[in-house]
Amino acid sequence: MLLTTVSHISSTTNFTVVDTWRFWIIHLWVEGFFELFVTVLVAVTFYQLGVVRRTNVVRVIYMDAILFLAGGIIGTAHHWYWTGQANFTMALAAMFSALEVVPLTLLTLDAWDFIKLTGTKASSGTPKKIIPHKWAFYFLMAVGFWNFVGAGIFGFLINMPVVSYFEAGTILTLNHGHAALLGAFGMLAMALAVLGLRHVLTDEQWAVPEKFIKLSFWGLNVGLALMVITNLFPVGVLQIWDVLENGYWHARSLEFIGQDRIRLLEWASMPSHVTLIMLGVLPMVIASGLTYLKIRKA
Ligand code: HEM
Ligand SMILES: [Fe+2]
């Protein structure tokens, strides 16, 4: 029923109208509300873990609120390349959306500096500092890293109107979408889950689940990095090259997608998927199951 209604609306409404509202949902959700939500959550959690100062947290949250509410809304237009917007709108959008990743990046660098300054390794004479909730902290650092790489670098790469003209809707968009979405929001979900799992267990009970969490952390991060390196980024670059040489229509046709080298790169992404599922998702499920069994037993 819903599908019929949606297809009816999209087949009877002008593309410009559909695409405009589509990105009021996608963009304002992932780059408006959700980016702010992530930054506030990361800031508050870093503060609770004692790795950033209160003034920095408050500063970053205010800066974020201003950037998202002013910039994020204007930034929506970076998706409207094909909806007949004025040059000025496109230029403003490209500029403001590039600023979106600044607050969370500053926050992550600040937390990283703190850890480096206080030191997790014992130097001569100073007692070794134990980071509380170590793996939740690492997952939060991963949020900052992927937000910078996935949303910042890969987002910016496809952000300028002159690039959008050739790029919109190619694999470089997938490259950005995967790195930003799984990288920033997926890792955040993992951080909060690990925070909860660690919280309900004693130090002694934590010993075994921690091994799986550690594995999951590396599995998810390496898996995502491999996916980008072995498939999404190189195919994206080849595709945009094809747009320049043979035109957009050709780069999106079977003639391009069906080539042997593209097929080869598709197969090359197999290890990344196996790593993500077997070494990333599965250990996290096991750690959650173990935690549940341990608290039931207790
Ligand atoms: C964590 C934050 C972000 C997430 C989760 C995210 C996710 C996505 C997704 C899923 C798409 C594909 C939408 C579709 O075509 O249906 C997309 C497109 C796009 N994103 Fe992001 N994004 C983020 C931040 C950014 C930032 C900061 C920039 C600019 C620097 C940016 C620039 C773009 C552009 C230009 C497109 C359009 C590409 C096209 O139409 O082919 N994004 N993003
Ligand atoms: Fe966007």
Side-chain angles (χ1 to χ4, degrees), residues 22-23 26 30-31 35 78-79 97-98 100-101 147 151 155-156 158-159 167-169 173 176 180-181 185:
R22 187 157 83 90
F23 284 106
I26 302 176
V30 301
E31 286 169 69
E35 271 267 359
H78 67 190
H79 298 279
S97 48
E100 284 165 24
V101 292
N147 189 62
F156 192 73
I158 61 173
N159 195 47
E167 188 285 334
T173 299
H176 155 64
L181 209 55
F185 303 146

Side-chain angles (χ1 to χ4, degrees), residues 31 61-74 96 99-103:
E31 286 169 69
I61 291 178
Y62 274 122
M63 185 173 157
D64 222 32
I66 295 168
L67 273 184
F68 287 140
L69 294 181
I73 294 176
I74 299 172
F96 276 94
L99 291 175
E100 284 165 24
V101 292
V102 174

Side-chain angles (χ1 to χ4, degrees), residues 170-173 175 231-241 256:
T170 65
I171 308 277
L172 276 184
T173 299
N175 178 56
N231 181 253
L232 296 174
F233 188 72
V235 177
V237 172
L238 287 176
Q239 195 177 21
I240 207 160
W241 196 257
F256 171 79

Side-chain angles (χ1 to χ4, degrees), residues 57-280:
V57 167
V58 176
R59 240 182 251 152
V60 161
I61 291 178
Y62 274 122
M63 185 173 157
D64 222 32
I66 295 168
L67 273 184
F68 287 140
L69 294 181
I73 294 176
I74 299 172
T76 314
H78 67 190
H79 298 279
W80 288 343
Y81 192 84
W82 299 107
T83 59
Q85 304 290 329
N87 285 355
F88 184 64
T89 312
M90 299 311 295
L92 265 188
M95 198 169 79
F96 276 94
S97 48
L99 291 175
E100 284 165 24
V101 292
V102 174
L104 191 56
T105 308
L106 290 181
L107 188 67
T108 310
L109 291 177
D110 197 38
W112 187 240
D113 269 353
F114 182 91
I115 292 294
K116 267 201 328 214
L117 279 178
T118 49
T120 50
K121 292 194 186 77
S123 54
S124 56
T126 54
K128 182 177 167 163
K129 184 170 171 71
I130 297 167
I131 314 175
H133 290 285
K134 179 175 159 190
W135 291 104
F137 173 79
Y138 281 166
F139 269 116
L140 291 179
M141 295 308 286
V143 172
F145 172 79
W146 285 110
N147 189 62
F148 181 70
V149 175
I153 298 179
F154 291 153
F156 192 73
L157 201 67
I158 61 173
N159 195 47
M160 290 304 179
V162 65
V163 182
S164 302
Y165 178 74
F166 301 101
E167 188 285 334
T170 65
I171 308 277
L172 276 184
T173 299
L174 270 68
N175 178 56
H176 155 64
H178 279 68
L181 209 55
L182 177 55
F185 303 146
M187 298 302 166
L188 178 78
M190 291 298 121
L192 296 180
V194 172
L195 202 69
L197 296 181
R198 176 67 188 94
H199 193 71
V200 294
L201 297 181
T202 62
D203 290 355
E204 197 186 316
Q205 287 173 323
W206 181 241
V208 181
E210 186 180 14
K211 292 195 173 74
F212 287 96
I213 299 286
K214 183 179 175 180
L215 184 63
S216 170
F217 174 82
W218 289 112
L220 290 173
N221 281 287
V222 172
L224 181 56
L226 278 180
M227 191 193 275
V228 166
I229 295 167
T230 58
N231 181 253
L232 296 174
F233 188 72
V235 177
V237 172
L238 287 176
Q239 195 177 21
I240 207 160
W241 196 257
D242 199 69
V243 174
L244 296 171
E245 286 205 320
N246 303 314
Y248 189 72
W249 67 272
H250 183 268
R252 284 180 56 113
S253 72
L254 258 185
E255 223 170 301
F256 171 79
I257 302 286
Q259 287 175 77
D260 286 348
R261 57 181 182 159
I262 304 295
R263 288 258 178 269
L264 191 72
L265 282 167
E266 259 168 33
W267 281 105
S269 75
M270 174 83 96
S272 72
H273 293 138
V274 174
T275 309
L276 267 172
I277 296 169
M278 302 307 284
L279 303 179

